[in-house]
Amino acid sequence: MFGGVGSRGLAGLAVVGAAGGLVVFGPAGGSADAAAACAGRPVKTVGFSTGELRLYKGNGYACAVTEAKNPGARRQMSVAIQARGSAPAGDSGSYTRMAGPVTVHSGSRCVRASGAIAGSAAETGWVC
């Protein structure tokens, strides 16, 4: 026993502590809709009929997001980014506002990104 608290008391405190952590910190995880925008400086933005593709670079990393012009209804969205010589990384699904952010290690290499919302798409081409 610790300070007069039995094993049942300790178990109860552990449960209360864990539940309190959910209240203070919220549940782990999340969706692309709730994700923060990319870190780094914006290097290219490409607009298209249903949204915008944004590419950011900084500290050896590149990041991309596709954001809807008119958030609201769920629709198919995607974003992909690739550093030259590496495999692409991406995010796609049914979102209300944004696909991504997706980040890759780019070092000093060129990167390219593509994004689509409900059948309308855009690409950045290689950005060095």
Side-chain angles (χ1 to χ4, degrees):
M1 289 200 194
F2 298 100
V5 178
S7 61
R8 282 186 180 177
L10 287 176
L13 286 175
V15 170
V16 170
L22 286 174
V23 172
V24 173
F25 301 109
S31 70
D33 286 339
C38 292
R41 63 181 172 79
V43 293
K44 188 142 190 185
T45 300
V46 181
F48 55 101
S49 65
T50 55
E52 208 170 62
L53 170 64
R54 296 188 193 123
L55 178 63
Y56 300 80
K57 287 180 82 175
N59 294 328
Y61 289 87
C63 178
V65 295
T66 301
E67 188 160 359
K69 280 186 181 175
N70 299 311
R74 286 194 172 275
R75 56 193 173 253
Q76 188 63 35
M77 296 185 193
S78 66
V79 64
I81 185 170
Q82 178 181 17
R84 194 179 298 264
S86 296
D91 176 38
S92 66
S94 181
Y95 302 120
T96 59
R97 184 176 66 91
M98 179 173 68
V102 177
T103 303
V104 295
H105 182 266
S106 60
S108 60
R109 296 176 291 169
C110 301
V111 296
R112 66 179 173 185
S114 61
I117 299 175
S120 185
E123 292 185 13
T124 62
W126 288 106
V127 177
C128 297

